[in-house]
Amino acid sequence: VCSVRRDVDGREEVFKKVFQGGDDEWATRSIDLLRSMGFNNIGPWSDDKILRKANNPLPYTKMLNIAQDFGKSIGFTKPGSGHVDFKHNCIPVFHQDFEDFAMKHVKKIVGNLSSDSYCLGFFSDNELPWRRDMLKCYLKLDAKDPNRLVALKWMESKGYIEDAEEEKAIHLYEKDKDVNMEFLQHVANRYFQVCAKAIKKAAPNHLYLGSRFHGQAKKHTELLKIAGKYVDVVSVNWYDTWDPRTKSEWTDMWTTASQKPFLITEFYAKGMDSKLPNKNGAGWVVKTQKDRGIFYEHFVLGLMEHTGCVGFHWFKFMDDWPKNSEKAKMLSNKGIIDSNYTPYVELARSQAELNKEGYTILEFLRRS
């Protein structure tokens, strides 16, 4: 489960009323709830420092935001939906300071976690813009931007242009699908190589869990091939499919192209009976909490049938809640508990029934 956190900002009194023992009580009760539902690890964006101190901790994963935070540090990003947006959708991996930033950034965040056996591993980023028109995006950058200059040098090295001023050739190749995909691989190789180097140096005994592909990115065979050279597990945020078995060509490609297993890192459904507007987020909208539970069972069973899937993270632990009146118009029912820290019983029942029988089901599926 992702985002197992207190979310107390602006409603401290509610938190204190429910958890009179403070953070320690919250951590213990939250982990007890997750264990009672058969969940066995915690996703990123969680209060892992508090949860780790509990007497009954669960294994957890950690988000590093390498490219995102580097982009912010050089003024290359702006807020997006569920992730940050980069200038012209370009990941600034060819900036002269990217690798040095990554090494220091990862070392600082990992710290003593390198010796924590409860930490499963690290995600380098979330939902980066791995676009098919990557070269075209880079060529839109300012003339002296180091990332654009590298793109031009790459075009010269491939023989696509003879010099950086050959504008007609640039305009021709920036629209060429094959050339764009080739450049996408070039960008991906630089990104995953640097991130893997930083993560494995700071935490050599932990897993590099990828960058959480989403949207069109999860369909790029060439991208999966590059990622597979560096990650231990391919991670995918999967929202546009009701039944994984109907997209077996994707799941098969993920494992075949990358030669690595995959982890589904976000999925959920929103219930209209929650009384929330359900205006944000990419998850399916269903009528009731019971329907949310049915969706969970259906989706997870589909994942379990694929031998390449090693796990899944529901997004997320607690519902959205209104920090201001404007945000209240957009709230969505994503959580397994509501904003008053109360579990959705029917959803919880379905999740618990399946999760607790998970290994028995897997054994049956592998035999049949």
Side-chain angles (χ1 to χ4, degrees), residues 85-135:
D85 288 338
F86 292 84
K87 187 182 295 184
H88 296 302
N89 290 303
C90 297
I91 311 167
V93 296
F94 299 118
H95 190 284
Q96 62 271 19
D97 296 329
F98 176 63
E99 184 169 347
D100 183 60
F101 175 92
M103 300 301 290
K104 294 177 180 177
H105 180 74
V106 173
K107 181 180 180 180
K108 180 179 179 180
I109 294 177
V110 170
N112 294 330
L113 298 183
S114 60
S115 60
D116 186 1
S117 59
Y118 277 84
C119 181
L120 293 176
F122 302 90
F123 299 100
S124 52
D125 278 285
N126 182 59
E127 298 187 344
L128 293 175
W130 300 109
R131 295 171 58 99
R132 287 187 180 274
D133 59 347
M134 185 69 84
L135 179 59

Side-chain angles (χ1 to χ4, degrees), residues 232-289:
D232 297 304
V233 180
V234 169
S235 50
V236 179
N237 295 349
W238 200 356
Y239 285 118
D240 53 2
T241 303
W242 183 265
D243 183 349
R245 287 161 291 203
T246 65
K247 296 295 181 181
S248 58
E249 69 273 18
W250 294 356
T251 50
D252 289 344
M253 182 273 285
W254 298 342
T255 52
T256 301
S258 70
Q259 292 296 296
K260 297 291 170 64
F262 65 87
L263 171 69
I264 299 305
T265 37
E266 290 185 26
F267 73 105
Y268 65 86
K270 303 174 281 191
M272 294 308 297
D273 61 347
S274 65
K275 308 302 183 185
L276 294 174
N278 288 325
K279 295 294 186 180
N280 72 11
W284 297 99
V285 178
V286 295
K287 290 183 178 181
T288 67
Q289 299 306 307

Side-chain angles (χ1 to χ4, degrees), residues 122-160:
F122 302 90
F123 299 100
S124 52
D125 278 285
N126 182 59
E127 298 187 344
L128 293 175
W130 300 109
R131 295 171 58 99
R132 287 187 180 274
D133 59 347
M134 185 69 84
L135 179 59
K136 183 178 180 180
C137 293
Y138 271 71
L139 294 175
K140 288 181 178 179
L141 293 169
D142 295 338
K144 295 183 179 181
D145 187 286
N147 296 281
R148 185 179 190 276
L149 295 176
V150 168
L152 291 172
K153 287 183 179 179
W154 177 84
M155 293 182 76
E156 288 185 64
S157 71
K158 293 291 182 177
Y160 297 133

Side-chain angles (χ1 to χ4, degrees), residues 132-133 135-136 139 155 169-180:
R132 287 187 180 274
D133 59 347
L135 179 59
K136 183 178 180 180
L139 294 175
M155 293 182 76
I170 291 174
H171 291 315
L172 175 64
Y173 283 109
E174 71 178 5
K175 298 177 183 179
D176 187 298
K177 293 181 180 179
D178 292 336
V179 174
N180 268 272

Side-chain angles (χ1 to χ4, degrees), residues 295-343:
F295 165 74
Y296 179 86
E297 294 177 8
H298 186 70
F299 194 84
V300 169
L301 283 170
L303 294 175
M304 293 171 71
E305 287 190 19
H306 200 288
T307 56
C309 183
V310 293
F312 38 86
H313 286 163
W314 175 270
F315 189 85
K316 54 185 183 170
F317 184 57
M318 187 164 68
D319 275 347
D320 296 339
W321 68 278
K323 293 182 180 179
N324 57 59
S325 58
E326 191 61 32
K327 187 174 181 180
K329 300 175 184 177
M330 301 296 292
L331 300 182
S332 288
N333 172 218
K334 304 171 185 176
I336 61 176
I337 64 174
D338 65 22
S339 58
N340 291 313
Y341 306 97
T342 303

